[in-house]
């Protein structure tokens, strides 16, 4: 049974997305030079920044806007507009397919399509960045926000979908690893997050909440250093079972033929 990491990046109280750990990239990438890499979906943009493959790098999304968002992170990548259910690549094109923060959005029927473009011995790389609510000051913040809204800072962000890999029967081996990530958060950014989380809250109640959050920050931070918001980057490598992957046509209509 795969371990599911519970957490969320709802209302992420930072001015930018947390960086993707180099150690996670190195673990998820194939152990070979000139790797052929497919990064699937605009949510996977943070992964693109850290990939330094000297081989083929393809950035793919179902919309032109999504491809532009990916390409902005890696101008050296080959941009391709295509849905995950209809990937325009011949069988066995890639050494790894990356999905970051998006497996739960993937149509279950598309999983066979994704595995079909993996070369023999290649793998699917899955990752999720979730907030770690086990740190004391984060637990105290959660209690303050849930006093206003019981649903605040609650729930998972799709990691439970990793169980689909086992259920699909398409994979012969699945490995997982977790990486810690700390993101600085200023007092201003934390208060801004609270204000954005409760835009319709009564002014008096919001004022009291903002005061409580401000006091929490000042009692927890080591001035002049900012507080560090804890995240966990959870990663999985899943190797396609060649006995169970239904082979798509070698050259489907409209396929993009790629040679490296």
């Amino acid at each position: 049974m795969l371990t599911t990491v519970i957490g969320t990046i709802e209302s992420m109280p930072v001015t930018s997305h947390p960086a993707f750990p180099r150690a996670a990239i190195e673990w998820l990438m194939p152990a070979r030079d000139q790797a052929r890499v497919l990064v699937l979906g605009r949510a996977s943009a943070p992964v693109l920044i850290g990939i330094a493959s000297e081989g083929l790098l393809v950035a793919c999304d179902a919309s032109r806007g999504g491809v532009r968002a990916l390409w902005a992170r890696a101008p050296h990548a080959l941009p391709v507009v295509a849905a995950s259910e209809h990937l325009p690549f011949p069988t066995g094109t890639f050494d790894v397919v990356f999905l970051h923060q998006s497996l739960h959005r993937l149509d279950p029927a598309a999983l066979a399509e994704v595995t079909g473009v993996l070369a023999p011995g290649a793998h699917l790389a899955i990752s999720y960045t979730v907030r770690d609510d086990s740190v004391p000051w984060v637990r105290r913040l959660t209690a303050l926000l849930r006093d206003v809204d019981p649903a605040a800072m609650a729930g998972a962000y799709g990691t439970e979908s990793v169980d689909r890999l086992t259920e699909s029967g398409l994979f012969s081996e699945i490995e997982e690893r977790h990486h810690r990530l700390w993101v600085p958060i200023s007092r201003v950014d934390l208060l801004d997050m609270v204000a954005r989380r409760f835009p319709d809250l009564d002014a008096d109640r919001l004022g009291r909440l903002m005061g409580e959050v401000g006091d929490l920050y000042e009692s927890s931070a080591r001035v002049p250093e900012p507080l560090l918001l804890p995240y966990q980057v959870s990663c999985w490598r899943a190797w396609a079972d060649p006995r169970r992957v239904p082979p798509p046509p070698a050259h489907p209509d409209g396929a993009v033929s790629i040679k490296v």
Side-chain angles (χ1 to χ4, degrees), residues 174-190:
I174 301 171
E175 297 179 342
E176 88 181 85
R177 181 175 292 187
H178 306 281
H179 302 266
R180 175 74 75 174
L181 179 64
W182 298 92
V183 179
I185 172 74
S186 70
R187 186 177 188 276
V188 170
D189 287 335
L190 186 60

Side-chain angles (χ1 to χ4, degrees), residues 74-98:
H76 60 293
L78 174 66
V80 174
V81 179
S84 56
E85 297 85 354
H86 304 286
L87 295 175
F89 310 109
T91 304
T93 298
F94 298 100
D95 299 304
V96 63
V97 175
F98 273 93

